[in-house]
Structures are given as structure tokens and as C-alpha cells.
Amino acid sequence: MGPSPGKTARIVVIEDEPDIRELVVYNLMREGFDVVGIGNGHQGIAEIQRTPPDLVVLDLMLPGLDGLEICRHIRAESRTSRVPVIMVTAKSEESDVVLGLGMGADDYISKPFSPRELIARVKAMLRRGSRSNSIPSENSGPEQVSIGPLSIDAGRHEVRINDQPERFTATEFRLLHFLATHPGRVFTRDQLIGSVIGDGAIVLDRNIDVHIRSIRKKLGCARDMVETIRGVGYRFLDE
Ligand code: CA
């Protein structure tokens, strides 16, 4: 669960570059969070195990124990397995991000980032509460979703844009419904394939990019709601 109402969210920041760590810690504190900044992986894990936080901001490249290993530890321990993790990476490490998401990071942000951007991600993550332990099935979302000009009725298999019905194929519909019911969360192509395979009843064209292109075309004015995260996958806009 995320922090209960009225309780200050506790955030552990694991980052070995002192300047970045201080900047992140300072800005999160200014937002009223209870923040602990730690410079290496082993101490970071010890701190997280001692008192499981509400969220971890985790640098990927750390001396000794890197972000992926820390993420694996967090997920492996029952006390911390549901703690949300935002992975921080350098641009050049983007291919590792796919691995990071596979290892259980919930979101990632690449350097250089503005404090404002990080705070927005942190708040969005805390609003969503703790992660589920697995990728939710496509049936886990609500029957009806309404975001901006887009409304989806899963029961009726119907999508409307500005109240105008639009036809989507079964795969497109599953993908769109899955993304729209998990706003703000980044999914790799493999995760998206997993989300639409379901019980295996449909024969799936595994080329997610083709489906997304077609979905965007049909979304028209709402096309920007499906964001491409370069080198990683896709995300549905959070607001
Ligand atoms: Ca680093």
C-alpha cells in the first residue's frame, strides 16, 4: 500500500553521485517527503530492509551493487516486494532500462532530468500506491474508462473519441484498454504482448509497434495519449 492519508511518505534515494543525490533529496524534502539519501548499494539495501519505504528512487549505475541487483533484492523480500521503484538511468544506458523494467522497476527517468519532472513521477507513483506483484491481466482494469476525449467500455467492447464510436480490432482494443487502465506506467513490448495474449484465444500479431500505430491513427485527436518511450516501450499519459 502507499502511505496512508496524513502520513508522510518515506522515500529512499540511492545515488552515488553526491551532487545529484543532494539535489534529489533536497527537492523531495521541500515537497514534504521524509527522505533518506544513500550513496551505495549495500547501505541502500540495508536501509530498505530496516524500514521498508513507500518508494525508492534508484540509480542504475552504482559501484559494488548496481540498481538491477538492488531491484532484484527489493522484489525478492516479502516485506519490500511491493515497494514501487523509479529507476534513474543515463541516456546511454537505455537498453538496460528494458532489463530494469523486467527486473521489477515500475518506472524510469533518464539523466539529465529536472527536479520537477522527478517530483511529478514520484507523486504519480505514490498516488497509484504499491505495485502489484505481476503484470495485471487485461481483465483487471475497470469495465469503463474515461480519460479526456477517450472513453472505453470493456463490457460492450466499445471505444468512443469525443463521443464518436471508433472501430478497433480485438488486439488493438485489448492493448488500448490495458494501457489506459495503467496510466503513467511504462510497459515494454514483451509486457504488452503478455497483456493481450490473455488465455491465448486470439492469434496475435506480435508486432506491437504496428498495433500502436494503428491505435494512434484511430485515436485521432487523442493520439498523443499513447506515448513512445524511446528504447523501452509505451506509456499511457497519466493525467
Ligand atoms: Ca551512478
Side-chain angles (χ1 to χ4, degrees):
M1 290 285 105
S4 47
K7 180 183 166 282
T8 305
R10 187 165 171 279
I11 300 174
V12 171
V13 176
I14 307 176
E15 166 67 72
D16 60 315
E17 290 166 61
D19 292 353
I20 298 177
R21 185 173 66 242
E22 277 167 32
L23 183 74
V24 168
V25 168
Y26 170 78
N27 279 281
L28 289 172
M29 276 181 164
R30 218 174 50 165
E31 290 295 312
F33 296 113
D34 177 4
V35 191
V36 183
I38 292 167
N40 81 63
H42 291 286
Q43 279 172 19
I45 284 183
E47 175 64 27
I48 288 164
Q49 298 300 348
R50 191 176 62 78
T51 314
D54 296 300
L55 187 141
V56 177
V57 176
L58 180 61
D59 186 29
L60 177 63
M61 296 303 285
L62 293 162
L65 207 55
D66 71 21
L68 293 179
E69 290 172 273
I70 294 171
C71 214
R72 214 176 287 138
H73 273 262
I74 292 172
R75 294 292 166 247
E77 289 284 328
S78 59
R79 289 177 74 220
T80 57
S81 64
R82 297 170 73 83
V83 172
V85 174
I86 298 178
M87 188 83 86
V88 178
T89 69
K91 267 269 175 274
S92 57
E93 300 158 0
E94 265 182 357
S95 58
D96 292 335
V97 167
V98 178
L99 200 56
L101 290 168
M103 284 296 150
D106 298 271
D107 197 359
Y108 91 103
I109 187 164
S110 50
K111 293 175 186 173
F113 55 84
S114 69
R116 213 171 124 217
E117 191 184 352
L118 178 69
I119 285 162
R121 298 286 188 85
V122 164
K123 286 183 172 173
M125 191 66 76
L126 289 170
R127 266 202 308 276
R128 284 203 291 283
S130 65
R131 74 193 310 274
S132 49
N133 274 327
S134 58
I135 296 302
S137 81
E138 53 97 28
N139 292 323
S140 69
E143 283 278 285
Q144 294 182 12
V145 188
S146 188
I147 308 166
L150 176 69
S151 65
I152 303 172
D153 188 327
R156 305 170 102 174
H157 212 277
E158 190 179 77
V159 179
R160 287 174 173 268
I161 298 131
N162 284 326
D163 220 30
Q164 295 302 306
E166 184 63 58
R167 249 176 222 284
F168 285 81
T169 67
T171 300
E172 289 165 1
F173 184 87
R174 281 175 176 233
L175 266 177
L176 180 62
H177 182 252
F178 179 78
L179 283 165
T181 50
H182 301 91
R185 214 171 134 176
V186 183
F187 293 101
T188 65
R189 288 170 180 79
D190 278 351
Q191 288 173 329
L192 290 174
I193 289 168
S195 78
V196 293
I197 284 174
D199 57 9
I202 58 167
V203 178
L204 179 75
D205 174 355
R206 297 181 76 85
N207 196 335
I208 289 290
D209 296 338
V210 172
H211 293 303
I212 295 283
R213 209 174 303 143
S214 173
I215 288 170
R216 283 200 178 122
K217 203 169 165 193
K218 293 175 182 179
L219 285 175
C221 65
R223 58 180 295 125
D224 291 342
M225 295 181 100
V226 178
E227 277 184 293
T228 301
I229 308 299
R230 196 167 59 85
V232 184
Y234 295 98
R235 166 168 66 192
F236 201 84
L237 274 188
D238 199 21
E239 313 275 89

